[in-house]
Amino acid sequence: NAGVMQNPRHLVRRRGQEARLRCSPMKGHSHVYWYRQLPEEGLKFMVYLQKENIIDESGMPKERFSAEFPKEGPSILRIQQVVRGDSAAYFCASSPSGGIKTQYFGPGTRLLVL
Amino acid sequence: AQSVTQLGSHVSVSEGALVLLRCNYSSSVPPYLFWYVQYPNQGLQLLLKYTTGATLVKGINGFEAEFKKSETSFHLTKPSAHMSDAAEYFCAVSSGGGGADGLTFGKGTHLIIQP
């Protein structure tokens, strides 16, 4: 059973460009979570999605950041007009819909903004 | 609001010695508690979790943790450290409800194993 998949693993963007990060949850999982990890920091929750619905986006910056989890295909975290402060590792986790929703993490996308 | 405090950003132990990584939490509702391990440039791997029931939980790689409600703690231990245990360890809390919310993480503890 494949784990959570994220791509790209590394992404370099110049200031002002757009970054698109993709996450495919584990098979059978319908819940997706995005986290950001800054250097020397723990992970900070950004957004929680189910298929076609944003459940909790309390950790998302109000501007430039958006997330979606369409009926078909991976979840996308989109950062518009990136700035240097967006440089971080972005992790996706998925959990099943029933029972205890233990979150399983992907390998992350490391975004570098030049 | 929930929070997690991990005491000691770096912990160094000798190979074969006891590992103790401290985690204290605050939560207004009965918490679900987790320990994750992160190796360099990799994602987080679940070590163990506490949801309900037995307060001493066993995880992978010989690690275990004990939920102590009175102390609001969930410390991680391993009787004998191995070189392969060197990594970053994160404690996290969820507010229950099936864990259907974002986890709140501590800042992490970097475990160093001395030969």
Side-chain angles (χ1 to χ4, degrees):
Chain A
N1 188 13
V4 178
M5 298 175 65
Q6 291 188 249
N7 67 82
R9 293 290 306 275
H10 299 273
L11 182 62
V12 179
R13 285 288 179 266
R14 297 192 180 279
R15 282 179 294 169
Q17 292 184 319
E18 179 180 286
R20 283 190 176 226
L21 289 62
R22 287 176 289 277
C23 169
S24 296
M26 286 178 70
K27 186 176 181 180
H29 287 191
S30 57
H31 297 236
V32 165
Y33 310 78
W34 285 93
Y35 294 83
R36 177 164 62 178
Q37 183 180 34
L38 295 169
E40 306 301 320
E41 294 283 331
L43 279 73
K44 301 291 187 186
F45 167 74
M46 299 179 75
V47 62
Y48 163 37
L49 310 103
Q50 295 178 22
K51 286 283 187 180
E52 299 184 282
N53 285 302
I54 296 175
I55 306 302
D56 180 359
E57 56 182 349
S58 59
M60 285 277 272
K62 294 290 186 283
E63 298 179 348
R64 303 188 297 107
F65 285 72
S66 62
E68 63 176 7
F69 189 16
K71 185 177 181 180
E72 301 290 338
S75 176
I76 306 288
L77 179 68
R78 182 183 178 200
I79 312 172
Q80 295 178 291
Q81 300 175 343
V82 296
V83 301
R84 289 202 173 129
D86 297 332
S87 296
Y90 292 83
F91 290 95
C92 167
S94 72
S95 70
S97 57
I100 304 300
K101 294 177 179 57
T102 300
Q103 296 179 27
Y104 297 90
F105 283 78
T109 293
R110 281 149 183 86
L111 172 65
L112 176 63
V113 179
L114 301 177
Chain B
Q2 306 163 110
S3 66
V4 175
T5 301
Q6 292 183 240
L7 191 61
S9 59
H10 291 77
V11 170
S12 179
V13 302
S14 299
E15 189 174 17
L18 171 72
V19 175
L20 170 61
L21 304 183
R22 299 179 186 275
C23 172
N24 288 89
Y25 70 91
S26 68
S27 177
S28 57
V29 297
Y32 290 178
L33 294 158
F34 305 83
W35 275 100
Y36 287 87
V37 60
Q38 184 180 32
Y39 297 99
N41 296 315
Q42 295 188 25
L44 277 69
Q45 180 181 8
L46 180 67
L47 274 178
L48 48 78
K49 64 184 178 185
Y50 168 80
T51 54
T52 58
T55 57
L56 181 63
V57 293
K58 296 185 183 299
I60 62 171
N61 301 339
F63 284 93
E64 62 183 38
E66 186 171 10
F67 169 60
K68 292 187 177 180
K69 184 179 179 180
S70 62
E71 299 177 8
T72 60
S73 69
F74 190 57
H75 301 330
L76 181 71
T77 60
K78 182 174 180 177
S80 177
H82 190 273
M83 294 299 291
S84 61
D85 295 327
E88 192 83 16
Y89 291 80
F90 293 97
C91 181
V93 63
S94 166
S95 63
D101 59 357
L103 297 174
T104 299
F105 282 86
K107 290 191 173 184
T109 297
H110 186 195
L111 178 61
I112 301 163
I113 310 297
Q114 304 281 3

